[in-house]
Amino acid sequence: VKKQVRTLKATTAARILRSRKGFDTPAVTNHLLMVGPPGVGKTDTSGVVARTYWGLGILPKRDVFETSKEALAGPYVGDVETQTREFLAKSIGATVLFDEFGELLHGGYAGGDPIGQAIIGAIVPWMENNRDKAVFIAAGYPAACQKVIDSNGGLQGRFATTIVFDSYPPDKLIEIAHAILARSPGAFVEPGAFESVLLQPFTRFYNETKISEDGDTIRTIDELNNGRFVRNIVEKAQTVRDLRVLDSYGLDNLDLS
């Protein structure tokens, strides 16, 4: 992922330099696709992309405005489109991260998904009219995102760059656990403790897979949210530790003054 982001920065900077030197530079959209499972750093990477475009002078703001179908959904379809337009209007000059983009369209509706279609109907003209004023990042599973893109001709060709994220393998999950612990002052575990306790379940969660209706391969660790799952484990362990320490001294006799 880091290499993909560096490549994006290099090609964008080169395009700016060519333009400033007077060379013919065709207009290129800055909108991106970030495809992969949850909990693998798409939100953090969106922040890096936003700061990169801001630093290069492409965007006046380095803010990232996050949203999703769930966040924009209202009781009436007309409300959804209005709410989407208002959200996008305040995002001009900045970066939009649309999470779970592939969830915009669900089957089961006789005439299609009205809420998803209303959101797409607001997104498409905004992306075209503001392609040099804002950045739209669509994030989600690859096949699901492609299904949404294929559903509307206005979305096709809008994304110049795709950044691919993979599920975290067991050794990476262990590495994340150590990194989280290292950021906690005074916290430590016995050498090899994470490996002996977590490696086996992490391996099982990584190897267990299923295929979604859209054709995406989804691992159990993806459903558990990858890195966020590890953080929750470490934080839960710290909570249990704190309770054990306090219980050993007796909560009733504890003096924090």
Side-chain angles (χ1 to χ4, degrees), residues 9-86:
K9 183 176 182 179
T11 54
T12 304
R15 192 171 75 243
I16 292 172
L17 287 173
R18 287 196 300 271
S19 176
R20 289 176 179 174
K21 293 292 184 180
F23 292 105
D24 228 9
T25 309
V28 177
T29 177
N30 293 313
H31 306 312
L32 294 91
L33 271 175
M34 289 189 179
V35 296
V40 292
K42 294 192 291 294
T43 300
D44 290 342
T45 304
S46 297
V48 173
V49 169
R51 291 191 295 274
T52 297
Y53 282 136
W54 170 73
L56 291 172
I58 294 174
L59 296 177
K61 305 174 186 176
R62 57 179 178 180
D63 305 88
V64 178
F65 294 91
E66 296 183 48
T67 193
S68 64
K69 179 182 180 180
E70 183 179 3
L72 295 172
Y76 305 104
V77 174
D79 293 343
V80 174
E81 190 163 355
T82 299
Q83 189 164 318
T84 303
R85 292 183 191 280
E86 290 174 352

Side-chain angles (χ1 to χ4, degrees), residues 12-252:
T12 304
R15 192 171 75 243
I16 292 172
L17 287 173
R18 287 196 300 271
S19 176
R20 289 176 179 174
K21 293 292 184 180
F23 292 105
D24 228 9
T25 309
V28 177
T29 177
N30 293 313
H31 306 312
L32 294 91
L33 271 175
M34 289 189 179
V35 296
V40 292
K42 294 192 291 294
T43 300
D44 290 342
T45 304
S46 297
V48 173
V49 169
R51 291 191 295 274
T52 297
Y53 282 136
W54 170 73
L56 291 172
I58 294 174
L59 296 177
K61 305 174 186 176
R62 57 179 178 180
D63 305 88
V64 178
F65 294 91
E66 296 183 48
T67 193
S68 64
K69 179 182 180 180
E70 183 179 3
L72 295 172
Y76 305 104
V77 174
D79 293 343
V80 174
E81 190 163 355
T82 299
Q83 189 164 318
T84 303
R85 292 183 191 280
E86 290 174 352
F87 171 81
L88 293 172
K90 75 176 184 180
S91 304
I92 292 176
T95 298
V96 171
L97 172 62
F98 200 108
D99 199 17
E100 297 181 348
F101 186 73
E103 298 297 312
L104 267 175
L105 298 179
H106 283 296
Y109 294 94
D113 186 334
I115 293 176
Q117 290 174 345
I119 293 173
I120 292 171
I123 287 174
V124 169
W126 183 87
M127 291 177 71
E128 171 60 22
N129 297 334
N130 299 288
R131 60 180 180 172
D132 58 343
K133 302 172 187 172
V135 172
F136 186 92
I137 300 176
Y141 285 102
C145 287
Q146 192 60 50
K147 173 196 66 178
V148 174
I149 293 170
D150 292 342
S151 74
N152 188 296
L155 284 173
Q156 297 168 18
R158 295 288 180 208
F159 301 98
T161 302
T162 299
I163 299 177
V164 179
F165 296 76
D166 296 319
S167 307
Y168 286 152
D171 58 338
K172 177 65 175 178
L173 296 169
I174 295 291
E175 181 184 322
I176 290 170
H178 283 292
I180 293 171
L181 194 71
R183 294 196 293 269
S184 302
F188 71 93
V189 296
E190 293 293 332
F194 277 149
E195 289 76 4
S196 64
V197 174
L198 298 175
L199 187 58
Q200 184 176 352
F202 282 172
T203 301
R204 175 164 57 86
F205 295 151
Y206 182 80
N207 290 333
E208 291 174 346
T209 62
K210 66 179 182 181
I211 305 298
S212 71
E213 291 182 3
D214 298 314
D216 286 301
T217 298
I218 300 178
R219 301 178 185 274
T220 299
I221 193 63
D222 299 333
E223 296 180 312
L224 294 171
N225 289 318
N226 285 279
R228 286 196 289 272
F229 176 59
V230 179
R231 185 181 67 231
N232 291 340
I233 289 176
V234 175
E235 290 177 351
K236 180 66 175 178
Q238 291 173 325
T239 299
V240 171
R241 174 207 60 196
D242 294 342
L243 288 172
R244 186 175 64 248
V245 170
L246 291 174
D247 285 344
S248 68
Y249 285 98
L251 285 171
D252 292 337

